[in-house]
Amino acid sequence: MTTPAVCGRLRGHPAAADAAVAVIVLALMIGSVFVGHRVAAHPLSPLFVTCAVLAAAALAVRRRAPRTVLVVTSVLTAVGAADAGDGIPRIQVALSAVVALYTVVSRTERAAALRMAAVTITALTGAVMLLGPPPWYAQENVGMLAWAGMAAAAGDAVRSRRAYIAAIEERALRAERSREEEARRRVAEERLRIARELHDVVAHHIALVNVQAGVASHVMDSRPDQAKQALAHVREASRSALDELRSTVGLLRQYGDPEAPTEPAPGLGAFDQLVDGFTRAGLRVAVTVTGAPADAPGAGAEDPAASVAGRLPAAVDLTAYRVLQEALTNVHKHAGPGARAEVVILRAPGSLVLTVLDDGPEDDASGDGVPGDGGPAGGHGLVGMRERVTALGGTIETGPRQGTAGFRVRVRLPVPACARRLR
């Protein structure tokens, strides 16, 4: 078995690794005495051997109690040095204290580790100098100081490297977690945007189809001509719904897919067409536009809303169109046939103010007796409007009109000054 394989196995079993270190240190402590020394003339003391064995055995638990092992090995080093005898090196037992010092420094916070290293080095060197035979400045005493200092330096280097690797791993993990959270957030935002866009595109036309289909069903027998006209409106509204739905879904195509939509996003420039669709569906809409600059593109044209749209950023223009579309759809859906809506578009300095008012449900004065929508008032229309307006930093106010059965929607959209200058 190769050396890396053995190291890998020992790394997975810390107790076995510590036991192996203890055996190796004991062999070095005893074996080094026989190298270059006449043991026959100066035999080893039983106390020296006992200290060496006990110090090596203490290393077997150095990971579980590093500071205790350092104290035990330091004491045994001092005892062994004092009893080594003439002609026998006195710092062999100190090898166990050196390993214990390395373990403590590598596993302790830096400031505390440096303090313990300084105390241990001073205590070991002083014990060897005081308890051992003279002179105190012998080469072995200087060697004791050098070995302890190198052990502390090696332990500090290992601790710093472990902290560095741990910091890198933590940053990588945090970055990966941040990327996943960002991806989930973007997916959620994109799903919300797609849902809002689909609702704005489809709900308007489906509401018109629903009302016109109800009209056609009601007058099919008594007035076939009016029923045919209502069915024609149904066909036109459904075709428009399919066209807008196809354009919206086309935005989800991957880059390079064929037949990607090229139509511009709707805006206030197409508001007259939106009003015509509601008018043909039986909703009376009065539009008032104020504050359109005289030098704006399209100023003085038949459609005053287009003159306002000519000086709006694309995002504000699209949001204004969708808000008016949804507000009129809600009027047509909930106020019923014969309802009247009033739209006010005010181009104020730095903002665009949209107001949609209705008078609420009315009795059918024509005698047709066509029922209203009758659908539930709940839905995602108001939520979608609020999300669109809030995304641009605007404000929205919705609620019943005082003194009437109608409803009021008022939206203020900010128009950046830089956009006004560039256009």
Side-chain angles (χ1 to χ4, degrees):
M1 185 177 295
T2 61
T3 302
V6 173
C7 293
R9 286 180 175 273
L10 291 178
R11 191 177 296 111
H13 299 80
D18 290 343
V21 169
V23 172
I24 294 174
V25 170
L26 178 62
L28 291 176
M29 287 189 296
I30 301 299
S32 62
V33 177
F34 294 89
V35 179
H37 299 281
R38 294 185 301 170
V39 179
H42 304 281
L44 294 177
S45 167
L47 181 60
F48 177 84
V49 175
T50 302
C51 290
V53 172
L54 292 178
L59 295 178
V61 294
R62 64 189 181 96
R63 295 177 194 261
R64 286 176 286 178
R67 299 187 182 186
T68 302
V69 171
L70 177 60
V71 173
V72 171
T73 54
S74 299
V75 172
L76 292 174
T77 297
V79 175
D83 191 65
D86 296 336
I88 300 299
R90 295 175 287 123
I91 62 171
Q92 273 75 8
V93 182
L95 181 59
S96 60
V98 168
V99 175
L101 178 60
Y102 161 81
T103 303
V104 170
V105 174
S106 65
R107 294 174 174 271
T108 308
E109 189 271 333
R110 187 167 194 175
L114 292 179
R115 289 194 298 268
M116 286 188 290
V119 172
T120 302
I121 293 174
T122 302
L124 285 177
T125 306
V128 171
M129 290 180 177
L130 295 176
L131 299 178
W136 63 269
Y137 53 85
Q139 182 179 358
E140 294 182 55
N141 299 339
V142 178
M144 177 72 246
L145 178 64
W147 277 105
M150 286 190 295
D156 184 69
V158 170
R159 183 202 56 77
S160 299
R161 178 173 175 78
R162 287 174 180 170
Y164 175 73
I165 294 176
I168 292 179
E169 292 177 349
E170 182 181 359
R171 284 197 298 268
L173 183 61
R174 187 165 55 249
E176 182 67 22
R177 189 181 299 113
S178 299
R179 283 194 297 268
E180 293 177 357
E181 292 176 355
E182 179 68 14
R184 287 195 295 267
R185 184 185 65 80
R186 291 189 177 185
V187 169
E189 290 180 353
E190 187 65 13
R191 290 176 60 185
L192 180 61
R193 186 191 68 80
I194 294 172
R196 184 171 58 236
E197 193 70 22
L198 288 176
H199 175 272
D200 292 343
V201 168
V202 176
H204 158 63
H205 296 288
I206 296 302
L208 296 182
V209 168
N210 181 37
V211 173
Q212 292 296 332
V215 172
S217 176
H218 185 74
V219 301
M220 180 67 71
D221 297 329
S222 59
R223 279 177 283 181
D225 294 338
Q226 186 176 352
K228 290 181 180 180
Q229 185 179 4
L231 291 176
H233 291 326
V234 169
R235 183 173 61 252
E236 181 179 353
S238 61
R239 184 185 299 113
S240 299
L242 289 175
D243 292 339
E244 290 199 28
L245 183 61
R246 186 180 299 111
S247 299
T248 303
V249 174
L251 297 174
L252 305 179
R253 295 177 181 270
Q254 297 293 330
Y255 177 77
D257 286 352
E259 299 180 359
T262 58
E263 297 83 356
L268 291 181
F271 185 59
D272 59 337
Q273 303 174 12
L274 180 66
V275 172
D276 290 342
F278 281 107
T279 301
R280 289 194 300 270
L283 178 65
R284 294 172 294 169
V285 182
V287 181
T288 302
V289 180
T290 58
D295 60 345
E302 294 183 358
D303 180 18
S307 63
V308 175
R311 297 181 64 86
L312 292 177
V316 176
D317 193 21
L318 173 61
T319 300
Y321 178 86
R322 291 303 188 197
V323 166
L324 294 176
Q325 181 188 50
E326 180 61 32
L328 291 177
T329 299
N330 289 340
V331 174
H332 191 267
K333 182 191 301 184
H334 302 303
R340 181 179 182 277
E342 180 181 355
V343 178
V344 178
I345 302 175
L346 172 60
R347 182 65 165 84
S351 63
L352 178 68
V353 182
L354 310 173
T355 304
V356 179
L357 307 172
D358 69 86
D359 297 330
E362 295 183 358
D363 294 334
D364 188 17
S366 64
D368 292 337
V370 180
D373 176 75
H380 301 284
L382 294 179
V383 175
M385 281 194 293
R386 190 174 303 278
E387 290 173 348
R388 283 184 179 275
V389 172
T390 304
L392 294 182
T395 59
I396 179 172
E397 301 175 6
T398 60
R401 295 181 63 185
Q402 294 182 355
T404 67
F407 200 79
R408 180 179 73 97
V409 176
R410 188 175 187 273
V411 171
R412 179 183 294 273
L413 299 174
V415 179
C418 59
R420 299 197 300 272
R421 290 196 300 268
L422 292 175
R423 287 183 176 269

